[in-house]
């Protein structure tokens, strides 16, 4: 059985399929149809809702795509929809009123999602600047109004840092009600022949997975849920790791970051961007804020997609995975994890527990480049990560990872060897570019042709070289946004 707050109403669900999405739950079980289905794949944002959870003495609000969120993940949380925003006296929420005042809606289909993203922004960043606004709204698409009136509405809200609403007035009451829900014990949800287990510790998870090695691991679900929403498959048995507290931690010392595999990308951003600024730049373009709020670093690795953005970056950074099966724990370099398309070195009953990322050392130069059809909320055609150590003008070490160039994320071994031991100059880079063409045999698909991928991969190495020359030459399109 799961328990959660639907706005301020306590809900208990026992006989409910864990395969049901929050979107379908809202529309078919409780009659809240303000939340819309646009794409059922987390691309359009029309289905955006907000989840509230205790963080210290306050509620932390995060946007998520309800089309990719299973009801089994709601235990212990507050679910807020567009219908819940109006005040108890019936007046519109300030965010809703701003959308009216600035004519931010035409057909209105996308409007509820925009409003929920703006509501969360008003709670998390009361004095949001333009960059904050654009990031918060990047996962919401509009087909008819255009974005200027919507952005204007958001900017007006940001000019009211002391925004008062019922969520502020009744926060203490909501926190008290959330505290009534027991969240430190194993939760099981059964329905329609399917089951989802929600352990609260890695020990409990390890034991469950040994007992049920056929279970699918559910973290953010931003990829797994597509099997239900796009391919109409049943997921008979899942284990949700979002309540495993010790796998959501991040530890840091002078030599490394140790990131729990169930920690969200949003929660990992501060440390990753501070230690590796280019990793932070990539995360800004990693899908949408809704996806980053749910998606995890471990999940982005574990789904073994050849176009996942994190794996090539982690390869370049010499990251290692901590894998666990029962009481057995082992470490594996991330490049050894991927064997072939969607096949990994992970054994039956084993899971990724942590990701270890070494911090940069002296004379190390790291850059990441992502090529996609859109700047925001898009999947890579090519993602290249370059990590070179250059001492006295000589390349002493090189780690170069690519996504989108093969059936798995992969290092450019020949390119690396062409660089190591050589002077860091134009001739060496040209030779390494030539070697790089032999490292991969990319495929053509709807994102890019094999010729485009091969050419741009070599050009990214040259771009990296240009940026290392300290020239006053702008090479990044994102600098103009």
């Amino acid at each position: 059985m799961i328990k959660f707050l639907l706005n301020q109403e306590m809900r208990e669900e026992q006989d409910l399929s864990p395969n049901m999405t929050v979107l379908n739950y809202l529309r078919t079980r409780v009659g809240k149809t303000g939340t819309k289905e646009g794409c059922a794949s987390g691309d359009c944002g029309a289905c955006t809702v907000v989840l509230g959870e205790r963080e210290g003495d306050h509620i932390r609000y995060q946007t998520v795509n309800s089309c990719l969120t299973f009801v089994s993940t709601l235990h212990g949380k507050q679910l807020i929809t567009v219908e819940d925003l109006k005040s108890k006296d019936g007046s519109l929420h300030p965010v809703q009123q701003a959308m009216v005042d600035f004519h931010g809606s035409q057909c209105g289909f996308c409007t509820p999602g925009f409003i929920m993203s703006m509501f969360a922004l008003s709670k998390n960043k009361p004095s949001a600047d333009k960059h904050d606004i654009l990031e918060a709204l990047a996962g919401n698409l509009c087909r008819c109004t255009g974005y200027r009136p919507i952005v204007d509405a958001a900017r007006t809200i940001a000019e009211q840092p002391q925004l008062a609403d019922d969520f502020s007035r009744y926060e203490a009451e909501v926190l008290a009600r959330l505290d009534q829900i027991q969240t430190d014990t194993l939760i099981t949800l059964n329905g329609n022949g399917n089951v989802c287990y929600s352990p609260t510790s890695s020990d409990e998870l390890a034991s469950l997975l040994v007992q049920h090695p056929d279970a699918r691991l559910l973290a953010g679900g931003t990829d797994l849920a597509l099997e239900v929403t796009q391919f109409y498959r049943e997921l008979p048995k899942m284990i949700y790791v979002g309540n495993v507290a010790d796998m959501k931690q991040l530890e840091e010392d002078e030599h490394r970051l140790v990131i729990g595999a169930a920690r969200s990308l949003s929660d990992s951003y501060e440390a990753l961007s501070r230690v590796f600024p280019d990793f932070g730049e990539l995360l800004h373009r990693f899908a949408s804020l809704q996806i980053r709020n749910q998606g995890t670093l471990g999940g982005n690795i574990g789904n073994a997609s050849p176009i996942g953005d994190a794996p090539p970056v982690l390869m370049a950074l010499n990251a290692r995975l901590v894998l666990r099966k029962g009481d057995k724990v082992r470490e594996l370099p991330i490049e050894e994890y991927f064997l072939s398309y969607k096949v990994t070195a992970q054994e039956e009953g084993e899971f990724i527990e942590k990701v270890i990322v070494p911090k940069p050392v002296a004379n190390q130069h790291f850059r990441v480049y992502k090529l996609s059809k859109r700047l925001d909320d898009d999947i890579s055609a090519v993602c290249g990560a370059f990590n070179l150590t250059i001492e006295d003008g000589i390349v002493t070490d090189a780690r170069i990872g690519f996504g989108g160039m093969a059936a798995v994320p992969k290092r450019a071994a020949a390119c690396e060897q062409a660089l190591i031991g050589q002077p860091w100059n134009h001739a060496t880079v040209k030779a390494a570019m030539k070697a790089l063409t032999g490292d991969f045999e990319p495929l053509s698909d709807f994102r890019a042709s094999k010729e485009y991928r091969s050419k741009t991969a070599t050009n990214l190495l040259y771009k990296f070289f240009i940026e290392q020359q300290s020239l006053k030459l702008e090479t990044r399109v994102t600098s103009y946004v």
Side-chain angles (χ1 to χ4, degrees):
M1 180 184 71
I2 61 170
K3 295 179 68 173
F4 62 95
L5 288 179
L6 181 56
N7 192 15
Q8 297 188 37
E9 174 195 356
M10 186 68 75
R11 302 282 299 189
E12 294 186 8
E13 297 290 353
Q14 188 164 0
D15 184 18
L16 188 68
S17 172
N19 282 197
M20 178 176 281
T21 63
V22 171
L23 173 65
N24 285 337
Y25 176 80
L26 289 171
R27 296 183 64 85
T28 65
R29 295 293 290 251
V30 298
K32 291 200 170 190
T33 56
T35 306
K36 311 298 184 186
E37 178 180 304
C39 64
S41 60
D43 290 323
C44 73
C47 72
T48 299
V49 295
V50 169
L51 296 182
E53 294 183 82
R54 174 182 278 278
E55 186 175 75
D57 296 330
H58 299 282
I59 295 177
R60 180 191 190 190
Y61 299 95
Q62 286 194 306
T63 53
V64 299
N65 295 115
S66 62
C67 70
L68 298 181
T69 306
F70 290 124
V71 291
S72 45
T73 68
L74 292 179
H75 184 76
K77 300 180 177 71
Q78 181 189 27
L79 172 62
I80 304 167
T81 71
V82 68
E83 292 96 337
D84 302 326
L85 295 193
K86 66 180 180 181
S87 299
K88 288 189 175 182
D89 63 8
S91 60
L92 292 178
H93 188 277
V95 168
Q96 294 170 313
Q97 189 62 54
M99 285 288 276
V100 173
D101 293 342
F102 284 88
H103 308 286
S105 176
Q106 283 189 20
C107 80
F109 197 88
C110 70
T111 304
F114 272 103
I115 285 175
M116 297 312 295
S117 290
M118 290 167 58
F119 165 74
L121 178 66
S122 73
K123 292 298 183 183
N124 296 324
K125 295 184 178 180
S127 300
D129 58 22
K130 184 177 180 181
H131 178 271
D132 295 327
I133 292 170
L134 294 180
E135 181 178 47
L137 301 182
N140 295 82
L141 304 183
C142 174
R143 290 176 178 265
C144 55
T145 305
Y147 298 99
R148 194 195 69 182
I150 298 171
V151 171
D152 287 345
R155 295 179 77 166
T156 296
I157 293 299
E159 294 169 358
Q160 307 173 46
Q162 301 302 319
L163 190 68
D165 60 13
D166 283 354
F167 295 91
S168 299
R169 297 184 188 100
Y170 301 108
E171 183 177 38
E173 182 180 318
V174 171
L175 283 169
R177 303 198 71 190
L178 287 175
D179 289 343
Q180 295 172 9
I181 303 173
Q182 187 174 10
T183 57
D184 59 353
T185 186
L186 176 68
I187 300 297
T188 304
L189 180 63
N190 294 275
N192 199 33
N194 304 317
V195 62
C196 181
Y197 303 97
S198 298
T200 59
S201 70
S202 55
D203 289 343
E204 199 170 44
L205 169 60
S207 177
L208 273 171
L209 201 52
V210 169
Q211 297 173 49
H212 306 283
D214 57 332
R216 303 293 296 276
L217 287 182
L218 169 64
T222 57
D223 187 70
L224 183 63
L226 297 177
E227 295 192 25
V228 174
T229 65
Q230 300 292 300
F231 299 100
Y232 305 103
R233 297 172 185 157
E234 289 285 315
L235 300 175
K237 193 181 295 184
M238 293 187 291
I239 300 177
Y240 175 54
V241 303
N243 293 328
V244 180
D246 53 312
M247 285 177 56
K248 298 174 73 175
Q249 301 302 311
L250 187 149
E251 302 170 12
E252 180 178 359
D253 59 32
E254 59 180 320
H255 300 296
R256 64 183 191 171
L257 299 173
V258 181
I259 305 171
R263 188 178 182 87
S264 73
L265 294 165
S266 289
D267 287 343
S268 303
Y269 171 78
E270 187 281 326
L272 287 173
S273 62
R274 172 170 42 81
V275 178
F276 308 104
D278 255 36
F279 205 158
E281 289 294 319
L282 177 70
L283 287 177
H284 276 300
R285 297 184 56 202
F286 193 115
S288 64
L289 184 58
Q290 291 95 317
I291 296 294
R292 297 194 294 275
N293 286 340
Q294 287 182 281
T296 64
L297 197 61
N300 195 241
I301 297 166
N303 68 20
S305 170
I307 51 175
D309 282 339
V313 180
L314 294 170
M315 284 181 180
L317 294 175
N318 198 22
R320 299 179 67 84
L321 306 180
V322 177
L323 300 173
R324 179 172 178 180
K325 180 178 181 179
D327 294 329
K328 179 184 176 183
V329 177
R330 63 178 175 132
E331 284 190 21
L332 188 71
I334 189 170
E335 59 261 35
E336 295 180 17
Y337 179 77
F338 305 100
L339 302 180
S340 60
Y341 180 72
K342 291 287 187 177
V343 177
T344 72
Q346 191 169 306
E347 299 174 359
E348 188 177 75
E350 193 172 41
F351 62 96
I352 303 172
E353 187 175 30
K354 302 174 184 177
V355 182
I356 301 173
V357 189
K359 286 187 172 181
V361 297
N363 302 313
Q364 188 170 297
H365 304 270
F366 173 69
R367 293 289 187 276
V368 180
Y369 308 106
K370 173 175 177 172
L371 301 179
S372 57
K373 291 185 176 181
R374 293 195 304 254
L375 182 64
D376 292 313
D377 198 12
D378 202 3
I379 295 173
S380 292
V382 176
C383 182
F386 303 84
N387 190 10
L388 270 62
T389 303
I390 305 171
E391 298 178 358
D392 298 323
I394 303 297
V395 180
T396 58
D397 190 31
R399 297 184 64 89
I400 299 173
F402 274 98
M405 294 291 291
V408 295
K410 183 181 173 185
R411 286 176 63 183
C415 179
E416 291 174 354
Q417 290 306 308
L419 290 166
I420 295 174
Q422 300 300 314
W424 181 236
N425 58 28
H426 188 271
T428 296
V429 172
K430 283 296 184 180
M433 291 170 65
K434 184 176 181 180
L436 179 56
T437 62
D439 273 318
F440 302 99
E441 293 182 7
L443 298 175
S444 294
D445 58 23
F446 67 94
R447 290 190 180 89
S449 67
K450 60 182 180 182
E451 293 83 6
Y452 174 87
R453 286 186 161 108
S454 183
K455 184 64 174 178
T456 54
T458 58
N459 285 349
L460 290 180
L461 174 58
Y462 194 63
K463 180 185 180 109
F464 174 75
F465 175 71
I466 291 173
E467 289 191 351
Q468 295 306 306
Q469 306 311 301
S470 300
L471 299 176
K472 293 182 178 180
L473 179 64
E474 185 55 69
T475 66
R476 303 197 180 199
V477 175
T478 53
S479 298
Y480 296 96
V481 175

